[in-house]
Amino acid sequence: MIVRKIKPEEVLRANELFAIAFEQPMDREAAAKPDNEDVHRWAAFDESSGEMMSNFVINDYDVRFDGHACKMGGIGGVATLPQYRRRGGIRGCFQEALPDMYASGYDLSYLYPFSTAYYRKFGYECGVRKFFIAVRLNLLAPPEFNGTLRLAEAGTPMTEAIRAVDACWEGKYNMMVQHRPEDYKWTKEFDPAVKQGFTYVCFAQDGTPKGYTTFTKADEKDGRNLVCSRFAFVDREGFAGLMNLFKSLAADHALVKFALPASEAMQYLFPEWSMDAASGFLHPAGMVRVVNVESVLQKAAYIGDGAVVLAVRDPQIPENGRTFAVRFAQGKAVSVEEASEEADAVLTIQAFSALITGVCDLREAALWMDGLEVRRPEAPLAQVFYRKPMMIVDYF
């Protein structure tokens, strides 16, 4: 088996492989277009025939991590031709791609798994969780909203307002993609009458954008519902504005469904939970992996002052498989150095990735997480590993 980055003339075949593997039709003309410079494809080839067996794509993103914009490789398009499955093609791609990502300056990687157990083999662990909410519209009683709601239509300038709302979310949550101007092409394509996709932006009385949503109608088992593909707000006023919008549609729809960050405090946005007025569930939304442990430790936010020694085990990226002495003061790293002394904690790269990005705090992890061994409980590990706000809205 040969594993390498694909050549520009192989892009079409890579897209064909994905379409065949997942039984999805493709547009041949679009599939043959060269990739952008922030797209990198890896493939495994049969050594005897030269046929492409497996491939995946790495998309470059800047994401938020503890106040820093970090380079993140979003893994997508993971596919193997049926006749080559269980031949190790994807494993071979990860074995080559992960060290290359380290050498290329990535801090993090993220993916949406078909199997969490499968991707744990390559150092990924469950990351962001989302709170999926369904609100019964006939029982919705939102607080008064004195601003305005505007439907985005062709010729309606909404891009800057939407970007302003996104910037608020991008500043609050780890793993949020820091969107670029070119990411807002969708705001130039509004045509709700034809496409039946409805984007509304709510503004405060002074014209400040407070929130926006995009939804479509869906006839589902539990009713004729409004399903949101985008839902973001700046504060309680913005949330109230969106709820007033949905209340105005209560006569024709049963539920509105949207996703929120997995924060217990979000429940206080809803005035009523009883009588099935609102219901929700937490669900994993992808897996995270630290690509460069030293860099992430340098950028991480800590609590107060202290020092810890961490031993990380990473079989895919040798540079990560070391013991690190970390000193921090006033919430920031003072030094991150390789150490020879006994570690306060030993972590697999999976456990380290989840904990440093903020999935849960140390006490929870010590009870339930595989791959974490606390050797010195008196060390200030809880000042390093604690729950942090996390959210991601982009798919790749």
Side-chain angles (χ1 to χ4, degrees):
M1 180 172 65
I2 300 170
V3 177
R4 60 171 172 80
K5 291 181 179 178
I6 73 167
K7 302 171 184 177
E9 61 268 24
E10 295 170 325
V11 170
L12 174 59
R13 182 54 183 167
N15 286 319
E16 287 177 337
L17 191 154
F18 181 85
I20 293 168
F22 286 93
E23 300 170 353
Q24 294 181 358
M26 73 173 200
D27 182 322
R28 185 169 294 278
E29 183 178 348
K33 291 181 179 178
D35 287 327
N36 297 326
E37 61 181 14
D38 57 356
V39 176
H40 318 281
R41 297 180 190 261
W42 286 84
F45 299 82
D46 181 73
E47 196 162 1
S48 58
S49 68
E51 184 175 16
M52 188 183 296
M53 303 162 48
S54 308
N55 69 11
F56 63 63
V57 61
I58 302 172
N59 296 286
D60 290 353
Y61 295 94
D62 287 331
V63 297
R64 184 185 187 276
F65 169 69
D66 287 1
H68 297 272
C70 291
K71 187 176 181 181
M72 184 269 278
I75 307 293
V78 181
T80 298
L81 288 173
Q83 64 267 34
Y84 289 113
R85 287 175 183 167
R86 303 186 185 280
R87 292 269 298 272
I90 295 301
R91 178 183 294 276
C93 289
F94 272 110
Q95 287 173 339
E96 295 295 326
L98 286 168
D100 185 78
M101 290 171 70
Y102 181 94
S104 300
Y106 291 80
D107 285 320
L108 301 157
S109 182
Y110 207 86
L111 56 78
Y112 293 93
F114 75 91
S115 163
T116 52
Y118 179 78
Y119 285 106
R120 282 192 178 106
K121 298 175 184 178
F122 310 118
Y124 291 82
E125 189 51 89
C126 293
V128 173
R129 293 187 305 164
K130 292 183 182 179
F131 193 17
F132 289 91
I133 299 289
V135 178
R136 192 161 296 282
L137 293 175
N138 65 343
L139 296 177
L140 178 60
E144 183 178 357
F145 175 66
N146 296 316
T148 58
L149 289 154
R150 300 178 197 169
L151 173 65
E153 300 186 72
T156 308
M158 292 290 190
T159 304
E160 292 309 312
I162 289 171
R163 289 187 66 183
V165 176
D166 278 352
C168 179
W169 279 49
E170 291 166 12
K172 289 180 180 178
Y173 298 101
N174 277 1
M175 303 314 301
M176 275 293 293
V177 171
Q178 312 291 285
H179 291 105
R180 300 162 293 188
E182 56 266 32
D183 295 328
Y184 289 91
K185 292 178 182 178
W186 65 274
T187 65
K188 311 294 185 182
E189 300 170 353
F190 296 127
D191 194 353
V194 173
K195 297 181 179 180
Q196 291 295 291
F198 305 93
T199 296
Y200 281 86
V201 182
C202 66
F203 297 85
Q205 284 185 307
D206 64 1
T208 303
K210 288 289 185 175
Y212 75 92
T213 185
T214 299
F215 61 86
T216 56
K217 182 201 74 172
D219 291 313
E220 301 177 316
K221 291 181 179 180
D222 49 7
R224 186 187 193 196
N225 302 323
L226 303 174
V227 178
C228 300
S229 57
R230 294 185 175 93
F231 188 89
F233 52 95
V234 172
D235 52 22
R236 291 182 63 89
E237 183 183 11
F239 186 82
L242 296 176
M243 291 302 104
N244 273 268
L245 165 67
F246 294 130
K247 184 63 179 180
S248 72
L249 300 167
D252 301 311
H253 306 89
L255 301 169
V256 60
K257 299 180 179 182
F258 50 88
L260 295 174
S263 167
E264 285 85 353
M266 289 287 177
Q267 66 184 305
Y268 301 114
L269 291 169
F270 299 91
E272 183 61 77
W273 282 92
S274 300
M275 301 177 293
D276 201 29
S279 60
F281 61 92
L282 288 172
H283 196 272
M287 302 180 77
V288 65
R289 192 201 203 280
V290 170
V291 175
N292 189 320
V293 169
E294 183 175 355
S295 177
V296 165
L297 285 171
Q298 290 169 343
K299 295 174 181 177
Y302 301 88
I303 299 175
D305 306 341
V308 295
V309 180
L310 306 172
V312 179
R313 305 290 183 252
D314 187 347
Q316 283 93 18
I317 304 177
E319 294 88 346
N320 288 336
R322 297 182 285 158
T323 299
F324 299 89
V326 183
R327 289 195 306 112
F328 52 94
Q330 298 182 341
K332 297 181 179 180
V334 175
S335 64
V336 178
E337 300 173 340
E338 190 166 2
S340 57
E341 62 260 43
E342 183 180 355
D344 301 323
V346 180
L347 305 94
T348 63
I349 189 62
Q350 295 91 332
F352 177 80
S353 298
L355 284 169
I356 199 68
T357 52
V359 169
C360 63
D361 62 34
L362 183 72
R363 183 168 55 181
E364 294 172 302
L367 284 172
W368 310 115
M369 182 177 283
D370 189 25
L372 167 65
E373 179 188 351
V374 177
R375 293 183 174 175
R376 292 184 62 247
E378 67 273 20
L381 295 166
Q383 294 171 238
V384 179
F385 302 126
Y386 56 95
R387 188 186 297 274
K388 302 171 184 177
M390 299 183 73
M391 186 59 172
I392 189 167
V393 298
D394 293 74
Y395 293 92
F396 34 82

